[in-house]
Amino acid sequence: MLFDLRPKTSRRDLYDFDRELKELIKSIELNPLTVVIGIRRSGKTSLLRVTLSECDYPYIYIDPRFYVAPTYRDFAYILKNSIEDFLRRYGGVYRRVIEFLKNIKGISVDVSTLSIEISWRRNERIELGELFIALDNLAKDLRKPIVVAIDEAQELSKITWMPITRIFAYIYDNLRNLRIVLTGSEVGVLFKFLGIEDPSSPLYGRYIHIVKTRRLSREESIDFLEKGFSELGINIPRNIIEKAVEELDGVIGWLTLFGYTCYLNSDTCVENIDKILEQAIKIGR
C-alpha cells in the first residue's frame, strides 16, 4: 500500500524510485561500502529494505536507534536481535550459519530455538571483527556476498568504546565477501563520523559510493497521492491534493502521512496539511 506508514519492503509499494533502486543494487554488487543519504522522511529506509529484498543476497539489518547513548550491553542487545532475525530469514542454511557463529567469543547459540546470547561481561565480550570474519567465511561458503546494512548509521558516532570506522576499514580492505550499506539523514554527522575528508580517519581515501534519495516533483507528488487514494477507493478533491503538494514540497514521507490521515478522516484533509507541515518544520530544524 502506497500510504502504509511503515517502511516499504516490496518493490510494488516503492513509488517511482526505480533509478535509485537500480543504483543501490549495482553499488552493492560492486562496492565494499555504500552510503544512502537524504533528508528525513525521504524514503531511505524503504529504499534500503526493498533493495535488500530485491538483490538476493543474505543480509543482516541493524538499526542502532534504540538508545540515546548506547552502552556495550545496549549494543549487544541490538546485535542479538539482528543476528536472530538473520537466522530466521535464512532457516534453510541455519546449521551452516551456526557453525560459523558458535566459535566466536562471546556468542552462544541455541539451535532448537534459533536464538543467541551475546555476553556483555568485559572479559567475555564479543569481538566485532571476529563476527565479520565469520560472516565473510559464511559468504564464501554460500558463494554470494552478505550485506551488513546499518540504518541511520550516524547513531554509531555515539559509540566511543569500540573503533567502528577502523573495523569498517578492515572489512573494506580484507573481507571481500561482505558489503556494508549505511543510511543517514544527519548527513554532516555521518560524514564526520566516517571521516571521509579527514586524513586521520581509517576510511580516508577509500571510494565510497553515495546514493541520494530525492524529493518528488510536483507532477510526481500529485500522481503519488492520486494513486494512493485510488488504491484505497476514496475520492479527494483535486484542489486539496494540489494544496498538499504545494505545502509538503515533494517529501514522500510527509505525502504518505497526509494521504493516510485523509484516509482515516477525509473531512479534515485541509487541517491535516497544516498539522503535517508543522511536524515537518519541527523535525527539519
Side-chain angles (χ1 to χ4, degrees), residues 2-281:
L2 288 177
F3 291 164
D4 190 341
L5 297 181
R6 295 164 296 185
K8 310 299 190 291
T9 57
S10 171
R11 187 169 190 162
R12 68 175 178 272
D13 296 325
L14 187 70
Y15 177 83
D16 199 26
F17 275 77
D18 284 348
R19 180 181 63 79
E20 291 84 355
L21 181 63
K22 291 176 182 176
E23 182 183 1
L24 184 50
I25 291 174
K26 184 176 180 180
S27 182
I28 290 173
E29 291 172 351
L30 297 177
N31 299 303
L33 178 55
T34 303
V35 175
V36 181
I37 60 173
I39 61 172
R40 290 188 183 182
R41 310 294 296 165
S42 63
K44 297 182 299 300
T45 299
S46 291
L47 176 62
L48 173 62
R49 291 194 173 183
V50 173
T51 297
L52 294 174
S53 70
E54 289 278 323
C55 71
D56 194 35
Y57 292 159
Y59 66 88
I60 288 182
Y61 175 84
I62 301 171
D63 186 340
R65 291 175 292 177
F66 281 92
Y67 305 98
V68 174
T71 64
Y72 184 92
R73 186 175 185 177
D74 298 333
F75 184 77
Y77 178 77
I78 294 170
L79 201 58
K80 164 187 163 67
N81 288 341
S82 298
I83 296 175
E84 286 180 344
D85 174 63
F86 179 79
L87 287 171
R88 285 190 292 269
R89 279 186 284 105
Y90 300 103
V93 295
Y94 80 89
R95 292 190 182 279
R96 291 154 80 183
V97 176
I98 289 170
E99 284 300 313
F100 285 97
L101 293 180
K102 69 180 184 181
N103 294 321
I104 300 174
K105 177 184 175 183
I107 290 185
S108 59
V109 184
D110 186 331
V111 178
S112 62
T113 61
L114 295 186
S115 62
I116 70 166
E117 292 298 330
I118 296 180
S119 175
W120 51 271
R121 294 179 176 84
R122 185 172 296 276
N123 63 338
E124 299 175 3
R125 288 182 177 181
I126 182 176
E127 292 290 340
L128 198 59
E130 287 184 20
L131 172 61
F132 288 132
I133 290 171
L135 290 174
D136 184 68
N137 288 329
L138 173 63
K140 290 178 189 175
D141 190 60
L142 297 175
R143 298 184 178 180
K144 58 174 64 178
I146 290 177
V147 180
V148 179
I150 305 177
D151 211 357
E152 296 295 352
Q154 72 273 350
E155 295 296 315
L156 297 177
S157 66
K158 299 172 182 176
I159 293 176
T160 58
W161 36 261
M162 183 167 53
I164 293 180
T165 54
R166 188 173 297 279
I167 293 171
F168 285 166
Y170 179 83
I171 293 171
Y172 192 110
D173 292 344
N174 299 285
L175 305 185
R176 298 183 178 275
N177 300 286
L178 295 188
R179 305 288 188 269
I180 304 171
V181 181
L182 312 175
T183 77
S185 54
E186 297 178 40
V187 179
V189 176
L190 178 59
F191 282 4
K192 183 178 180 180
F193 164 63
L194 294 176
I196 291 176
E197 297 181 356
D198 180 1
S200 67
S201 167
L203 288 169
Y204 181 74
R206 290 168 175 81
Y207 175 73
I208 299 174
H209 189 79
I210 296 174
V211 178
K212 297 180 181 180
T213 54
R214 60 184 174 84
R215 297 175 188 266
L216 301 183
S217 68
R218 181 178 185 278
E219 292 73 21
E220 288 172 327
S221 299
I222 291 172
D223 184 59
F224 171 75
L225 290 177
E226 288 181 338
K227 285 181 176 176
F229 289 131
S230 175
E231 188 178 58
L232 295 172
I234 62 176
N235 182 35
I236 301 297
R238 174 77 179 214
N239 67 308
I240 293 180
I241 290 176
E242 289 182 348
K243 177 174 173 56
V245 167
E246 179 182 347
E247 296 288 348
L248 299 175
D249 200 21
V251 180
I252 197 166
W254 298 122
L255 292 166
T256 299
L257 181 58
F258 168 74
Y260 183 78
T261 52
C262 279
Y263 167 62
L264 294 180
N265 192 343
S266 59
D267 294 333
T268 60
C269 267
V270 174
E271 291 88 339
N272 286 335
I273 299 172
D274 296 333
K275 289 178 182 178
I276 294 167
L277 186 60
E278 183 180 352
Q279 289 182 52
I281 290 171

